[in-house]
Structures are given as structure tokens and as C-alpha cells.
Amino acid sequence: MAAPGPHSVLYKGLMLPALVHSTESLRYAQLGFQVRDRDIFSVTYPKSGTTWMQELLTLIHSDGDPQLAQSVPSWERVPWVEQTTAAGFLENRPCPRLISSHLPCGLFPTSLHGSNAKVIYTVRNPKDVCVSLYYYSKMASFLEFPEDFGEFVELFSAGKVLFGSWFQHVKGWLGLRDRLNFLLLTYEEMHQDLRGSVERICQFLGKPLEARALDGVVENASFQAMKQNRMCNYSLVPENIMDQRISPFLRKGVPGDWKGHFTVAQSQAFDRLYQEQMQDVGIRFPWDE
Ligand code: A3P
């Protein structure tokens, strides 16, 4: 891996944008942050439905009332444990704390282990993650700009992107699922049946909702509603950091967009890598069908 440039920070093999990360923030996340039993973590590899889950958790905890989701930015409602703003801010969050993270399990707060905190891990078809990350890299000035999509597929396949290898991330977290208070969700099942997915989350959290509250969650967490919501569509971020004229943050919001981007050869090469990497995982995902 190349040496970190002025815009990035290298921490234990992970190269991250220095805009919101530092060695101190990553060390604090891993070693300083104290997990509490009532904490609720949403963990994702980037572009797998992070913002969506931030919206869902906010709305579930607001009983479907969109007031909070429409008045406070998503990154303050469900802040990232690894970012520079976390220390101090997270200490004073109301209970249960709703916390986001993109960290691979090996760099996650060590105090998670032995706690009763809940972890919701959302996973998405890696080919769609790759496409989504490609457009994000184009519009975000703090990320390396790929020459073309083919080159980006190679970088993604080799794990030379934000938060490292998708395979290592997913396999690492899934390997812990029997040892943690853990819910596995897929982007694809959320897309196919959002209401059912919200019910699964509510059951996992021990927070049943009345039908009307459930309606409120589903309505306000739709792609269209989130695209309109300035508190989660990233339009609050200045254009010199995220240029949504190049590509909107909430871009397409569908499974299967990879089909219009991967060539047959790229797709076959990725499938071979996927088989090789995922053969022992023992879970069938919607995209495996
Ligand atoms: P696309 O680029 O494929 O459109 P993250 O929040 O982890 O960065 O993920 C962003 C991806 O999730 C984007 O994918 C975005 O459009 C999609 N997304 C966010 N909210 C969504 C929603 N309510 N429904 C469907 N997709 C959503």
C-alpha cells in the first residue's frame, strides 16, 4: 500500500480520509471508547446502506415521528465511533446510544466483547457496493479519483479502497455473529420488504411499534423521502467536499445497478474471486440465488 498522502491517515493497515479521521480518533475508537450494554451499533462496509440504517434507527426510536430526522443531521443522530468528533460527543449521547461504524471487526472498540451491546450488520451485493463507491469516489474530493470503472473494479477487488477489503470486512464480522448480540440484514431484503425489515430490527431491539408508527418509519425512510431530507441527503456538506452535481449521494438506491457497469469479463473475474473468498462463509445471500 502507498504511503499516506496529506489527505489520508494510515492506521494499522487501513488508509482513511484525514478529513474526518486521525490516528488519535482511530486509537480512541479501538482502545479508549467504552461500550455500554444498551449501545446499538450499525456496522457497514461503506455504500452498503449506512445512511439508510441511520434513518431507520432514528425513526424507530422516534416511534415513526420524522421531526428529529428532519431537524438534526444524520451524522449527529447516529454518529461514527471512529471519526474525529466522536470523543466527548459520544460520552454525552442519550441512552440508548445509536452509533455508526465502518470499522472492520479487528479495529472495532475492544470493549464490545463481553458487553451486551447490539450490533446490526448490513451487507450489500459487493458488485453494487463497488459501483456505488466508484461514483462516491468521483464526487468526494477527499477520495482518490479513479481513472475509469475497470481500474476501480481492480482496486476494489484488491481491497485498495476506503476501509479495505469488502471480503475481509464481511467475513470478519460474520465470523463473530454467534459471539455477539448480532442481527444480519441485507440491503436487498430492505429494498424488497422494508416494512418486514423494520419489524425484524424492532424485534431485535426489543422495541415493538404500533402499525401507525411503523407506517411513519417506512414512509420517511423511503428512497424518495430521504432524497428530499436535507438532514440525510448530504446537501449540508459544501460542494467543494461533495459535489452532488457529479453524482448525488443518494444516487439510484436499487439492487442490481452493477449489471449496467461491469463488463462480462469483469463480472466473471469478480465471481471467481467471490467464490474463492466466500466459499466457507456458509450463508446464502440474495445475490447468490
Ligand atoms: P447507490 O449509490 O447505489 O444509489 P451508504 O449510506 O452506506 O454510503 O450507502 C449509500 C447507498 O445506499 C447509495 O446507493 C444510496 O442511494 C443507497 N440508499 C440510501 N438510502 C436508501 C434508501 N432509502 N433506499 C434505497 N437505497 C438507499
Tab-separated table of all heavy atoms in Angstrom, residues 248-273:
chain	number	residue	atom	x	y	z
A	248	PRO	N	-25.188	12.367	-7.237
A	248	PRO	CA	-25.856	12.595	-5.946
A	248	PRO	C	-25.456	11.547	-4.910
A	248	PRO	O	-25.136	10.407	-5.273
A	248	PRO	CB	-27.348	12.481	-6.277
A	248	PRO	CG	-27.445	11.944	-7.644
A	248	PRO	CD	-26.106	11.995	-8.301
A	249	PHE	N	-25.464	11.935	-3.632
A	249	PHE	CA	-25.135	10.972	-2.572
A	249	PHE	C	-26.165	9.842	-2.577
A	249	PHE	O	-25.821	8.662	-2.539
A	249	PHE	CB	-25.093	11.662	-1.203
A	249	PHE	CG	-24.618	10.748	-0.119
A	249	PHE	CD1	-23.265	10.646	0.178
A	249	PHE	CD2	-25.503	9.941	0.584
A	249	PHE	CE1	-22.811	9.763	1.148
A	249	PHE	CE2	-25.064	9.062	1.559
A	249	PHE	CZ	-23.717	8.977	1.847
A	250	LEU	N	-27.435	10.201	-2.582
A	250	LEU	CA	-28.484	9.188	-2.749
A	250	LEU	C	-28.678	9.065	-4.258
A	250	LEU	O	-29.426	9.831	-4.860
A	250	LEU	CB	-29.755	9.591	-2.012
A	250	LEU	CG	-29.638	9.349	-0.498
A	250	LEU	CD1	-29.838	10.602	0.308
A	250	LEU	CD2	-30.629	8.288	-0.065
A	251	ARG	N	-28.011	8.139	-4.854
A	251	ARG	CA	-27.804	8.108	-6.301
A	251	ARG	C	-28.943	7.379	-7.004
A	251	ARG	O	-29.772	7.985	-7.652
A	251	ARG	CB	-26.438	7.441	-6.569
A	251	ARG	CG	-25.872	7.609	-7.958
A	251	ARG	CD	-24.551	6.851	-8.049
A	251	ARG	NE	-24.712	5.447	-7.674
A	251	ARG	CZ	-25.017	4.462	-8.504
A	251	ARG	NH1	-25.155	4.707	-9.789
A	251	ARG	NH2	-25.164	3.215	-8.064
A	252	LYS	N	-28.990	6.053	-6.891
A	252	LYS	CA	-30.062	5.281	-7.548
A	252	LYS	C	-30.917	4.521	-6.550
A	252	LYS	O	-32.113	4.374	-6.729
A	252	LYS	CB	-29.459	4.298	-8.546
A	252	LYS	CG	-29.081	4.927	-9.853
A	252	LYS	CD	-29.067	3.883	-10.938
A	252	LYS	CE	-28.789	4.515	-12.286
A	252	LYS	NZ	-28.359	3.499	-13.255
A	253	GLY	N	-30.240	3.945	-5.553
A	253	GLY	CA	-30.987	3.271	-4.496
A	253	GLY	C	-31.667	1.986	-4.924
A	253	GLY	O	-32.768	1.686	-4.463
A	254	VAL	N	-31.015	1.216	-5.795
A	254	VAL	CA	-31.607	-0.066	-6.230
A	254	VAL	C	-30.553	-1.170	-6.226
A	254	VAL	O	-29.375	-0.898	-6.418
A	254	VAL	CB	-32.206	0.019	-7.661
A	254	VAL	CG1	-33.442	0.890	-7.683
A	254	VAL	CG2	-31.164	0.504	-8.669
A	255	PRO	N	-31.018	-2.417	-6.041
A	255	PRO	CA	-30.100	-3.544	-6.227
A	255	PRO	C	-29.909	-3.811	-7.726
A	255	PRO	O	-30.815	-3.561	-8.520
A	255	PRO	CB	-30.826	-4.727	-5.575
A	255	PRO	CG	-32.031	-4.169	-4.884
A	255	PRO	CD	-32.330	-2.852	-5.521
A	256	GLY	N	-28.735	-4.292	-8.103
A	256	GLY	CA	-28.524	-4.761	-9.477
A	256	GLY	C	-27.992	-3.725	-10.444
A	256	GLY	O	-27.849	-4.018	-11.646
A	257	ASP	N	-27.659	-2.533	-9.949
A	257	ASP	CA	-27.138	-1.495	-10.851
A	257	ASP	C	-25.809	-1.929	-11.487
A	257	ASP	O	-25.413	-1.412	-12.527
A	257	ASP	CB	-26.965	-0.181	-10.053
A	257	ASP	CG	-26.711	1.023	-10.952
A	257	ASP	OD1	-27.281	1.050	-12.065
A	257	ASP	OD2	-25.943	1.914	-10.563
A	258	TRP	N	-25.141	-2.897	-10.846
A	258	TRP	CA	-23.849	-3.366	-11.380
A	258	TRP	C	-23.978	-3.902	-12.802
A	258	TRP	O	-23.026	-3.837	-13.586
A	258	TRP	CB	-23.244	-4.449	-10.470
A	258	TRP	CG	-23.999	-5.752	-10.431
A	258	TRP	CD1	-24.982	-6.104	-9.552
A	258	TRP	CD2	-23.837	-6.870	-11.321
A	258	TRP	NE1	-25.452	-7.359	-9.835
A	258	TRP	CE2	-24.755	-7.854	-10.916
A	258	TRP	CE3	-23.008	-7.128	-12.411
A	258	TRP	CZ2	-24.879	-9.088	-11.566
A	258	TRP	CZ3	-23.124	-8.363	-13.068
A	258	TRP	CH2	-24.048	-9.324	-12.642
A	259	LYS	N	-25.179	-4.401	-13.140
A	259	LYS	CA	-25.347	-5.027	-14.461
A	259	LYS	C	-25.095	-4.038	-15.599
A	259	LYS	O	-24.699	-4.438	-16.684
A	259	LYS	CB	-26.746	-5.643	-14.585
A	259	LYS	CG	-26.896	-6.865	-13.690
A	259	LYS	CD	-28.291	-7.426	-13.678
A	259	LYS	CE	-28.405	-8.468	-12.573
A	259	LYS	NZ	-29.770	-8.694	-12.131
A	260	GLY	N	-25.327	-2.764	-15.334
A	260	GLY	CA	-25.078	-1.746	-16.352
A	260	GLY	C	-23.654	-1.204	-16.313
A	260	GLY	O	-23.350	-0.262	-17.042
A	261	HIS	N	-22.819	-1.747	-15.448
A	261	HIS	CA	-21.457	-1.209	-15.299
A	261	HIS	C	-20.353	-2.233	-15.521
A	261	HIS	O	-19.341	-1.924	-16.129
A	261	HIS	CB	-21.293	-0.600	-13.897
A	261	HIS	CG	-22.082	0.656	-13.714
A	261	HIS	ND1	-23.428	0.668	-13.433
A	261	HIS	CD2	-21.708	1.956	-13.812
A	261	HIS	CE1	-23.847	1.915	-13.341
A	261	HIS	NE2	-22.834	2.723	-13.567
A	262	PHE	N	-20.521	-3.450	-14.990
A	262	PHE	CA	-19.485	-4.477	-15.159
A	262	PHE	C	-19.576	-5.050	-16.579
A	262	PHE	O	-20.669	-5.363	-17.048
A	262	PHE	CB	-19.702	-5.642	-14.169
A	262	PHE	CG	-19.200	-5.406	-12.770
A	262	PHE	CD1	-19.766	-4.434	-11.963
A	262	PHE	CD2	-18.171	-6.185	-12.249
A	262	PHE	CE1	-19.322	-4.234	-10.655
A	262	PHE	CE2	-17.718	-5.996	-10.940
A	262	PHE	CZ	-18.291	-5.011	-10.148
A	263	THR	N	-18.441	-5.231	-17.231
A	263	THR	CA	-18.437	-5.998	-18.476
A	263	THR	C	-18.582	-7.477	-18.093
A	263	THR	O	-18.398	-7.840	-16.921
A	263	THR	CB	-17.113	-5.818	-19.254
A	263	THR	OG1	-16.062	-6.348	-18.424
A	263	THR	CG2	-16.836	-4.363	-19.596
A	264	VAL	N	-18.869	-8.323	-19.078
A	264	VAL	CA	-18.990	-9.758	-18.798
A	264	VAL	C	-17.677	-10.273	-18.196
A	264	VAL	O	-17.666	-11.006	-17.203
A	264	VAL	CB	-19.355	-10.536	-20.091
A	264	VAL	CG1	-19.287	-12.039	-19.861
A	264	VAL	CG2	-20.739	-10.124	-20.567
A	265	ALA	N	-16.558	-9.839	-18.759
A	265	ALA	CA	-15.254	-10.315	-18.266
A	265	ALA	C	-14.998	-9.840	-16.832
A	265	ALA	O	-14.540	-10.618	-15.984
A	265	ALA	CB	-14.146	-9.817	-19.191
A	266	GLN	N	-15.319	-8.581	-16.549
A	266	GLN	CA	-15.133	-8.067	-15.179
A	266	GLN	C	-16.016	-8.819	-14.197
A	266	GLN	O	-15.601	-9.165	-13.089
A	266	GLN	CB	-15.479	-6.568	-15.125
A	266	GLN	CG	-14.422	-5.667	-15.730
A	266	GLN	CD	-14.967	-4.275	-16.043
A	266	GLN	OE1	-16.163	-3.997	-15.909
A	266	GLN	NE2	-14.084	-3.392	-16.483
A	267	SER	N	-17.238	-9.085	-14.623
A	267	SER	CA	-18.183	-9.782	-13.758
A	267	SER	C	-17.716	-11.214	-13.481
A	267	SER	O	-17.742	-11.687	-12.334
A	267	SER	CB	-19.562	-9.779	-14.430
A	267	SER	OG	-20.454	-10.543	-13.687
A	268	GLN	N	-17.234	-11.884	-14.503
A	268	GLN	CA	-16.780	-13.272	-14.317
A	268	GLN	C	-15.549	-13.323	-13.416
A	268	GLN	O	-15.424	-14.197	-12.561
A	268	GLN	CB	-16.483	-13.919	-15.676
A	268	GLN	CG	-17.770	-14.253	-16.424
A	268	GLN	CD	-17.513	-14.779	-17.831
A	268	GLN	OE1	-16.399	-14.634	-18.361
A	268	GLN	NE2	-18.535	-15.362	-18.436
A	269	ALA	N	-14.642	-12.384	-13.618
A	269	ALA	CA	-13.422	-12.365	-12.786
A	269	ALA	C	-13.814	-12.107	-11.332
A	269	ALA	O	-13.287	-12.734	-10.398
A	269	ALA	CB	-12.462	-11.287	-13.289
A	270	PHE	N	-14.772	-11.194	-11.131
A	270	PHE	CA	-15.196	-10.897	-9.759
A	270	PHE	C	-15.894	-12.117	-9.142
A	270	PHE	O	-15.683	-12.436	-7.970
A	270	PHE	CB	-16.111	-9.664	-9.709
A	270	PHE	CG	-16.307	-9.165	-8.309
A	270	PHE	CD1	-15.405	-8.267	-7.740
A	270	PHE	CD2	-17.367	-9.630	-7.532
A	270	PHE	CE1	-15.559	-7.842	-6.423
A	270	PHE	CE2	-17.525	-9.209	-6.214
A	270	PHE	CZ	-16.617	-8.306	-5.665
A	271	ASP	N	-16.702	-12.802	-9.937
A	271	ASP	CA	-17.394	-14.000	-9.431
A	271	ASP	C	-16.395	-15.066	-8.975
A	271	ASP	O	-16.600	-15.726	-7.957
A	271	ASP	CB	-18.305	-14.602	-10.512
A	271	ASP	CG	-19.529	-13.732	-10.774
A	271	ASP	OD1	-19.810	-12.836	-9.950
A	271	ASP	OD2	-20.190	-13.940	-11.811
A	272	ARG	N	-15.313	-15.216	-9.727
A	272	ARG	CA	-14.293	-16.208	-9.347
A	272	ARG	C	-13.668	-15.833	-7.996
A	272	ARG	O	-13.518	-16.655	-7.109
A	272	ARG	CB	-13.210	-16.311	-10.426
A	272	ARG	CG	-13.621	-17.171	-11.612
A	272	ARG	CD	-12.425	-17.536	-12.489
A	272	ARG	NE	-11.828	-16.358	-13.123
A	272	ARG	CZ	-12.257	-15.822	-14.277
A	272	ARG	NH1	-13.281	-16.372	-14.920
A	272	ARG	NH2	-11.674	-14.759	-14.798
A	273	LEU	N	-13.347	-14.550	-7.863
A	273	LEU	CA	-12.761	-14.073	-6.607
A	273	LEU	C	-13.752	-14.278	-5.454
A	273	LEU	O	-13.393	-14.724	-4.358
A	273	LEU	CB	-12.421	-12.577	-6.756
A	273	LEU	CG	-11.880	-11.870	-5.522
A	273	LEU	CD1	-10.498	-12.419	-5.143
A	273	LEU	CD2	-11.771	-10.355	-5.770
